[in-house]
Structure formats: structure tokens, C-alpha cells
Amino acid sequence: MNTTRKYQQGSPWPSGNHPQVLFILDTCNSFEQDLLKGWIEHHRESGGTAAQTVCVDLSDDHRSIDSVLLVNALTLPIDTVVAPLRIAWLPSQESIHSGPRLRDLIFGDPRHPNPRRGRKILKTAPQRMHLLSGKPDSVANLRARFELHHKIDNRDSQRDFADFVARQASVVLDLAERRLQGGRYKVPRYVAANLMASTSYNEALDTLSAESGIAKAQLVKDAKGYLDEMVSRPSMFWLDVYARFNKFCLGLGYEAEIVCDQEVVEKLRQIVREYPSMLLWTHKTYLDGMVLPKLLYDNDFPMPHMFGGANLNFPGLGFLLHRSGTIFIRRSFQDNELYKMTLRHYVGYLMGKRFPMNWAFEGTRSRLGKLMPPRYGLLKYVLEACDATDARDIHIIPISISYDLIRDVEEYATEQTSHGKGAESLRWLIGYLRSLTRPMGKIYVDIGEPVVLNKAPDPDDRLALSKIAFEVAVEANHVTAITFPSLATMSLLGAAPKALTEKEVVADLNALLRWANARDIRVSKDFNLTFADHISSLLGIMLNEGIVTLYDEGPEVVYGIGLNQHTVASYYRNTVIHFFVNKAIIELALLKASENEGPDALNVFWAEVDQLRDLFKFEFFYAPTEIFHQQIREELSRYDEDWQTLLSQGTFAFGQLLNRMTPLVSHVTLLIFTEAYSIVAALAARMAYSETLVEQACVADALKLGRQAYLQRRINSEASIGKLLFNNGFKMLQNRGLTDAGEPTLAKRRLKQSHQLRDLLRRLDLIRAIGVASRGS
């Protein structure tokens, strides 16, 4: 290759007049060294600035920097300018389109070729070789920054300063290379070394040493082990491998494009660029951890760091996740102050460098479809890190991930009635991936408005932490999109065990869509009012899975919920029932008030609204009481401005009001929770006042009684039989003081609660009958 052409990518010499230049050459072999030295010489002006070169390999930031030569070079005058240089190798177009291939795993990263491959690339595809110069700086400025932010030990200060300069060279070269390779390759470098050298971390070690009586040298030794364990090791190559792995896994059953509003994605880009950010997503399946990284990678975002459970840190997957941004932390470290402190400083470092953190804020996959209560552990540690580093304008961004169908739901259905969750392993992973190879529709990502904190709350302020988590959960629910499968299962479950004609399904869905659109509830863009023209194809994946059945041998095609599929169908329905809970409460409270007609009907109505809100407080997220009451008033005013007067006019007026409220939703929204609670309450009602209801035994007995009640058709749905439902039923009784042994009146109070739930089931059956009758008319 012509030498002039090779070096026409610009001059490596810093602009301006400088008495001396120190070139730091980031190279890993003599071939690259020769190229960079040739670049320097090609642009050297005769009689120009004096220059010195030092070669340092900065490619592996988990290996100590060999900075001996740099120590000597940095004895130059303080006005010497330090200019870092590097060679960047672009992959071939074929590799860019396909992602890393097996031969890359065998022969090495194409972005870091050995001398032989490098010479071949330079000969056959010279456009793939780029000469990079990082932003230069003076020795004086570098030393000032070093002394400001780093713990200085006089014995090793020159070596520490040389290491600092090498790390700074790596940072500015990485920045230059990202402009060439892409923003997705922004990764933290020399994390452990930077932390161990920082003043704040060393001061924390000094404090802990004084409080614990453990020598600082021992703490430093243990801390290095913890950092080696928890610090992720991302690189461009392994990010590409992980991206291809995610694409492969998601592509087994789902459509290639994730459904997401591109304008909102661009807004997210600005937030994570400018502010310390946490991306907290809803958790329904193991695949959730692949969806957000894929979306961000495809949109050239910096790599998000994700907290991973030890259950996924097994050979193979653990290796890949650790090299693509996952931070594996111990399950329990409450009594290990050094571990907690190290994790806090590590997370604070990442947030300060604008690396977004992301994890599932529910902590575990939702087994029922609806949002689980948030877990505070990780949020607490990240906010503690923000508090320790005095981070400002912290943005916590709720992200809702939804799917047309989910492979895990079948497992959940079994898990909730009998078997526990199996252990994860490489063998399990292979089996899980094989199970994904069937059409499951689309993936939807909806990004909510951020919860913005001017600063982190006090680490001991648990109330503030719970309020933040609650706000995140409410916003995640708010931005969850209604999809076709979620609304179709809602319609068919509302009619079950009766099947519906195609015309009835379309009418139901149209009514539910109009209701949602009138309230500005988010509906998936691909689910619009033209769906009726494609109803059979939209139902296709659920028909293939047996969730929905079709009968077409009569004069009309009819659809129904498949045999033994009510629990699975309920999962998809539950993903959107939070939108309908207020309406369901209104329907039940109106019916209660109509049965107590007269001047007191309004008081009965509001008392029942509050009673139902309290009854199901372990299932749903509500607005504060005053706002909640206003939401109830606004919903009723949509049907009749004079609804309060109608309430006092008895059954006929109630009928008028209820007729305007179609579609009725309480029977399809609250039935499974009421039936499950009634089973648990029935168990308590059978006990003497001197007996205590224990949660584990209660759930085990409820599973048996629930099965019997279903066979006797005392409850309507198999979906009402499940461990999580019974757990929450127990919590409801415990919250009302009905579980522990007590005074003789306890038996009566338990029986009263059981009767109240049976009455609630009666009203749900009545509303269901009204809904069926209105559909027939």
C-alpha cells in the first residue's frame, strides 16, 4: 500500500506550538507500533517539535498496566503535551451485517487482528484500518486532575500517576473510536483500578478499618477480590456476541422488530446521556433481560449495566453475561460491610460516568400477568450509591415489556398449583431455547415518564424509598399497551364457559377499545379499529397454542377458551386488568347501593368503594384516597352527570345507569381474586377462635379446597386456584386481624368475612348475567 495514502487520515501532532510532545502508543504488537511510528514520522515537520514515544498495551483493562517506561517519560517538563494514538480496525461489512461468527470465536476478534491478519487487511481492505488520535493534554493538567481525585501515596506516586495517565489515554482513545465504531460500544474501562485509586473509596476504607479493627491492607486485599467478582468485563466483541445471542433467542418465536415509539426512544437517549439513569422494567419472562439490551443496541445506545441473579451465573451463559454488562451480586451480603461499601462505590462510579443501570424492579417474573409488588433491595443500593456520590437529577425510567404470547406461562400455570420452579443450568437453557421455536407474535416496549429525584433520599428513609417504587410501578402500569391477545382473552373469559361468535367477539372488542380510547389508555399501534378484517389471523397464534378454540362446523364460527386453558388465558388478560379495576369497583358498589335504596344509598356506595379498595390492596396499585375518589366521580360522570341522584332512586335507576356502563367488566376483572380469597376465608371460618391460621399450611390446604370447590362448581374458574392468589388472600386476612388465635369473637369475625366474600361472588355472578343478557339483546 502506498505510504502517503496510508497516512493521509490526518496528522497525529497536536495543533499549536509545543516545546515537547509525548506520544502514548496504545498497541499490542510490533506491527501496530511500526504503523503508528510511521504515521508520526510522515507528518513530522523538519526542525519541528521534539517528540518521544512510549508503547503501552491498553487493550485489557483487567490486567495491570505496564507503565514502567511511562514513569520515566513523565519526568519531562510540565508543559509537555501528551498525545495518545491507536489503530482501530473495522470489521468487514459481512461481519457487521451477520454479527460475530464461529470463526471469530476461534481466530479472534476482527477488531483486534494479529499482525498476520492485520497485514492482510491492510493489503486487501485498507479502508478498514483507521489511525486514531485522542484529545491531547499537558502533563501539568493531568497531574492536577490526578492530585484532585486520587489518593496519593508518596512511595508510589510516580507509578500511580503513570497509571492514571495511561487510563486517561484509554478514555480519550475510546471516545475517538466510538465516533467511528458507534455509541453502543461505550464501556467503562479500568473500573477496579480507578476505584482503588480514588480518594473517596480510600477514605471509606480508612473509616471501615477504624470501626472494624481490621487492617486496611486486609480490607484492600478483600476488596480487590470483591471487585474482581462483581465488576463486569464488557468489550466491543462480546457486546456484539451478546447482541447476536439476543437476536437469535428472541427471533426463535417473535417477530424481528420490537414495537416501540421511536420518538420516545430518542427522548430516552437524551436522558441517559445527560443524567444518572435507571431503567426499571416489568418482568414476565426470562427473555425480558434480552429485550431492552437488544432495543438499546439496535438504536446505538451505550451498553446498560444489568444486575443479574446468581441463578443465571452458570457456565456458558454466566461467561457471556459477565462480558456484556451484567453485574452478578451475591444473594445475601447484609452483614458484609466491605462488600456493601464496594458495591455502592462501584454503582456510584457507573452512574457518575452515565452508564444506565437496568433491572427488573419486581425482582421476579410475574406469575399472574399483572404487576408484582416492587422489591426495594437493588433500588435501595443504587440510591445509596447516588447519595454517597451526591448525584443530582437522578432519572428513574419505568419500562413496560409486553408480549403477544409467552412461553413461560405454561410453567407458571403448573407452578401455581403444584410443582416448584426448576433450577437453571446450561441443560435447562438449551431446553428453554428449544421451547421457543414456535410463533408467539410480537414484543412491545413502552417507555414511561421518568420519576426524577433532585437527589437521593436518606438511605434510612424507607418511606421515601417505597414512594419512589410505587411511582415507578404506577407509571409502568400506565404505559403498558393494550394488545390484541390481552383484550381478546378478556372478552372470551368474560363469556366462558360460553363460546362467542365472531360477530360477538368483534362487538366486545370494539366496545372495550372505545372505552379505552375515550380515556386515553395506551393501545398498541398495530391494534386498531380495522382489526375485525383480520380477526381470524390475529387469533391464529392463540388457536395454534390451544389457548383459544374454534368451532366452524355449524352455521357460524364460534370461539371459546380452550379446555384447561383458563389459567393461561387469565395471564394475558391480567396484563391489562389494572386499567379496568376502578370501573369494576364502581359496578359492584353500584349494585350494593341499589340493594339498599333510599337516602343512605350514596353512603353505602362510598363505603363499598373503600371496602373493595382495601380488600384488593395486595393485588393492585391505587392512587391516594382523595385522588382515587376523584377518579371514581369522573368515571361515573361520563355515564350521567346526575349519578348521585340516580343512586337514591332504587333498582330501576340503577339499571339505567348500569346499562350505560357497557361493557361490564367486574366479573372478568375481579372474579379470580374474589374466588381465591373466598377459599382462604372459608378455611379460616372453619377454625376455632383459639386456632392460628399459618400461611404455608393455609396455602397448601387452599389448593386442595380450591380444587374441590371447582369440581363442585362452587367457583367458576380454575384460574382462581394458585399459590400467589392464596398468599395474598392470607395477607388480606392477616391485615384484618383474622389469622392469629384470639378472643371468642374471632370466630364470628372470620365467619362474617367469609359471608362478605360469598356475597361479593353473588354480585359478580349477577353482573355477569346482566352482561350476558345485554350481549344477547
Side-chain angles (χ1 to χ4, degrees):
M1 182 178 177
N2 181 276
T3 302
T4 303
R5 184 180 167 196
K6 185 193 305 180
Y7 296 130
Q8 65 183 190
Q9 296 180 30
S11 173
W13 292 82
S15 59
N17 296 318
H18 306 289
Q20 180 94 337
V21 176
L22 171 61
F23 288 105
I24 297 179
L25 311 185
D26 176 15
T27 64
C28 56
N29 56 59
S30 58
F31 169 61
E32 291 188 347
Q33 289 176 20
D34 291 343
L35 283 175
L36 290 176
K37 288 178 180 178
W39 187 29
I40 294 170
E41 292 303 318
H42 180 76
H43 289 277
R44 181 192 290 271
E45 296 180 2
S46 58
T49 306
Q52 183 173 336
T53 61
V54 174
C55 298
V56 182
D57 183 2
L58 302 175
S59 61
D60 186 354
D61 58 347
H62 295 278
R63 187 176 60 200
S64 297
I65 300 172
D66 185 6
S67 56
V68 175
L69 295 176
L70 193 55
V71 170
N72 297 327
L74 288 171
T75 58
L76 292 168
I78 60 173
D79 57 356
T80 299
V81 172
V82 179
L85 306 180
R86 174 189 292 171
I87 294 177
W89 301 89
L90 294 180
S92 66
Q93 284 299 314
E94 181 186 3
S95 294
I96 291 173
H97 292 311
S98 69
R101 292 161 292 183
L102 181 61
R103 72 185 187 196
D104 296 327
L105 293 172
I106 298 172
F107 297 111
D109 182 0
R111 288 190 177 87
H112 294 283
N114 58 32
R116 179 174 170 275
R117 289 179 72 188
R119 290 187 183 94
K120 182 178 178 181
I121 291 171
L122 199 56
K123 182 177 180 181
T124 60
Q127 71 279 4
R128 290 174 53 192
M129 189 274 286
H130 288 258
L131 302 164
L132 298 180
S133 58
K135 183 179 179 181
D137 205 350
S138 68
V139 171
N141 287 341
L142 288 166
R143 183 167 288 281
R145 293 212 307 276
F146 168 69
E147 292 176 354
L148 179 64
H149 296 293
H150 290 74
K151 183 78 173 179
I152 300 173
D153 188 329
N154 290 330
R155 292 172 302 173
D156 298 314
S157 60
Q158 280 300 104
R159 175 64 183 269
D160 291 341
F161 178 53
D163 288 346
F164 169 76
V165 171
R167 294 196 297 269
Q168 291 299 298
S170 174
V171 169
V172 295
L173 286 169
D174 286 349
L175 186 61
E177 187 166 359
R178 282 201 303 276
R179 286 193 283 266
L180 180 69
Q181 305 270 18
R184 61 172 63 92
Y185 299 115
K186 178 185 176 183
V187 297
R189 302 289 306 279
Y190 296 101
V191 175
N194 280 321
L195 280 176
M196 296 304 295
S198 72
T199 301
S200 61
Y201 186 66
N202 276 274
E203 288 175 350
L205 286 173
D206 290 335
T207 302
L208 183 59
S209 177
E211 292 175 349
S212 65
I214 302 172
K216 182 179 178 181
Q218 182 61 47
L219 292 177
V220 168
K221 180 180 177 182
D222 292 342
K224 287 180 178 177
Y226 295 153
L227 286 168
D228 186 60
E229 178 184 313
M230 70 175 66
V231 172
S232 65
R233 303 177 180 182
S235 67
M236 285 190 286
F237 177 70
W238 287 109
L239 287 177
D240 286 343
V241 171
Y242 186 52
R244 185 168 185 186
F245 176 70
N246 290 341
K247 182 179 180 180
F248 166 76
C249 293
L250 296 174
L252 289 172
Y254 294 101
E255 295 183 14
E257 185 178 351
I258 295 172
V259 180
C260 189
D261 188 329
Q262 198 59 39
E263 288 186 13
V264 181
V265 171
E266 292 308 312
K267 180 180 177 182
L268 178 65
R269 187 192 305 279
Q270 294 300 318
I271 291 173
V272 300
R273 181 182 293 157
E274 296 177 18
Y275 304 104
S277 303
M278 298 171 235
L279 313 179
L280 305 190
W281 34 268
T282 58
H283 198 10
K284 296 182 177 69
T285 167
Y286 287 111
L287 299 178
D288 294 329
M290 300 177 180
V291 172
L292 189 59
K294 181 183 186 304
L295 180 71
L296 298 184
Y297 181 92
D298 289 348
N299 284 277
D300 203 31
F301 272 70
M303 177 207 67
H305 280 72
M306 180 170 70
F307 291 107
N311 60 317
L312 295 179
N313 191 14
F314 53 80
L317 185 62
F319 177 91
L320 175 59
L321 294 177
H322 201 57
R323 283 156 181 77
S324 50
T326 299
I327 303 168
F328 288 112
I329 58 176
R330 299 180 178 182
R331 284 188 178 275
S332 178
F333 49 86
Q334 292 298 321
D335 299 327
N336 190 332
E337 290 301 321
L338 177 60
Y339 188 93
K340 286 195 290 185
M341 185 189 79
T342 303
L343 176 62
R344 185 163 57 245
H345 279 264
Y346 174 35
V347 171
Y349 176 85
L350 293 175
M351 296 282 281
K353 298 296 182 182
R354 300 300 183 262
F355 289 99
M357 311 297 297
N358 84 107
W359 70 91
F361 69 95
E362 298 163 275
T364 185
R365 293 173 294 159
S366 171
R367 266 64 173 184
L368 296 177
K370 67 184 182 65
L371 203 64
M372 300 279 284
R375 300 272 182 94
Y376 299 150
L378 289 175
L379 181 60
K380 181 176 186 292
Y381 283 117
V382 175
L383 288 176
E384 281 182 356
C386 292
D387 179 69
T389 55
D390 197 30
R392 298 289 171 153
D393 293 325
I394 304 155
H395 282 56
I396 308 175
I397 304 157
I399 297 177
S400 174
I401 304 176
S402 307
Y403 307 79
D404 281 339
L405 295 185
I406 297 175
R407 148 68 182 87
D408 309 47
V409 175
E410 299 163 17
E411 172 195 324
Y412 300 155
T414 304
E415 192 182 298
Q416 283 303 297
T417 54
S418 54
H419 307 294
K421 183 171 77 73
E424 290 85 358
S425 64
L426 182 59
R427 182 178 179 182
W428 162 85
L429 176 63
I430 294 169
Y432 182 76
L433 293 179
R434 289 178 64 184
S435 73
L436 297 175
T437 55
R438 59 202 201 210
M440 288 184 287
K442 298 178 181 178
I443 301 173
Y444 309 84
V445 173
D446 294 277
I447 301 167
E449 288 296 320
V451 175
V452 182
L453 308 178
N454 178 48
K455 61 173 296 197
D458 185 281
D460 296 323
D461 191 345
R462 187 168 177 81
L463 179 60
L465 185 68
S466 64
K467 286 182 177 178
I468 293 166
F470 178 82
E471 285 185 58
V472 172
V474 168
E475 181 62 14
N477 261 342
H478 175 69
V479 298
T480 298
I482 291 177
T483 62
F484 179 82
S486 63
L487 222 55
T489 49
M490 186 170 184
S491 170
L492 293 173
L493 283 167
K498 177 185 174 184
L500 298 179
T501 66
E502 187 171 296
K503 183 178 179 181
E504 288 173 328
V505 172
V506 170
D508 256 14
L509 296 186
N510 273 326
L512 290 166
L513 272 179
R514 284 194 297 271
W515 184 89
N517 287 330
R519 287 150 185 81
D520 293 325
I521 294 172
R522 189 172 300 201
V523 177
S524 174
K525 288 183 177 180
D526 62 340
F527 183 21
N528 51 52
L529 293 177
T530 66
F531 76 90
D533 299 330
H534 316 284
I535 188 76
S536 57
S537 61
L538 288 170
L539 285 168
I541 55 173
M542 288 191 286
L543 288 166
N544 292 339
E545 291 295 308
I547 301 169
V548 174
T549 60
L550 172 151
Y551 182 78
D552 58 2
E553 295 185 19
E556 292 183 274
V557 176
V558 294
Y559 298 96
I561 298 297
L563 186 65
N564 299 322
Q565 291 292 311
H566 283 70
T567 302
V568 173
S570 291
Y571 183 96
Y572 299 109
R573 181 270 317 277
N574 290 349
T575 60
V576 296
I577 57 171
H578 55 276
F579 291 123
F580 301 93
V581 169
N582 284 8
K583 187 176 188 301
I585 288 175
I586 289 171
E587 292 170 10
L588 289 166
L590 284 175
L591 183 52
K592 178 87 168 183
S594 75
E595 295 172 346
N596 295 268
E597 59 186 81
D600 201 38
L602 187 60
N603 291 333
V604 172
F605 170 80
W606 283 113
E608 184 65 6
V609 165
D610 290 335
Q611 163 70 11
L612 292 171
R613 181 180 190 266
D614 183 73
L615 179 67
F616 297 115
K617 68 182 178 183
F618 296 107
E619 305 294 349
F620 304 106
F621 297 92
Y622 303 102
T625 303
E626 189 173 324
I627 298 173
F628 172 73
H629 282 180
Q630 183 59 32
Q631 290 171 346
I632 298 295
R633 293 188 191 95
E634 289 173 359
E635 180 66 21
L636 278 164
S637 295
R638 289 175 177 272
Y639 306 111
D640 196 306
E641 289 287 346
D642 200 25
W643 62 270
Q644 297 189 60
T645 303
L646 284 175
L647 272 181
S648 64
Q649 293 179 1
T651 305
F652 177 75
F654 158 77
Q656 282 187 315
L657 191 55
L658 209 61
N659 285 337
R660 298 171 192 168
M661 293 183 65
T662 54
L664 300 178
V665 298
S666 57
H667 59 297
V668 73
T669 302
L670 298 176
L671 179 64
I672 64 169
F673 307 102
T674 309
E675 289 188 338
Y677 285 17
S678 73
I679 296 296
V680 175
L683 287 172
R686 295 179 179 188
M687 301 175 69
Y689 70 88
S690 58
E691 293 180 275
T692 293
L693 188 64
V694 180
E695 184 171 8
Q696 187 174 356
C698 170
V699 172
D701 290 341
L703 288 170
K704 299 171 186 174
L705 181 58
R707 173 56 54 185
Q708 176 187 319
Y710 176 69
L711 292 173
Q712 295 175 297
R713 293 304 184 264
R714 286 164 38 211
I715 62 174
N716 293 286
S717 176
E718 283 187 289
S720 305
I721 306 168
K723 294 176 184 177
L724 283 174
L725 291 168
F726 294 145
N727 280 129
N728 284 349
F730 177 87
K731 289 177 185 176
M732 179 273 296
L733 294 181
Q734 187 178 51
N735 182 254
R736 298 181 174 206
L738 298 174
T739 54
D740 294 337
E743 77 292 342
T745 60
L746 175 63
K748 289 184 178 179
R749 290 193 292 115
R750 286 172 171 173
L751 187 61
K752 181 180 178 181
Q753 180 65 75
S754 182
H755 287 165
Q756 286 175 343
L757 286 163
R758 296 307 301 176
D759 180 68
L760 186 56
L761 286 173
R762 176 190 62 81
R763 277 182 278 150
L764 285 167
D765 283 341
L766 182 54
I767 287 176
R768 179 179 176 278
I770 294 170
V772 170
S774 64
R775 179 186 287 118
S777 64

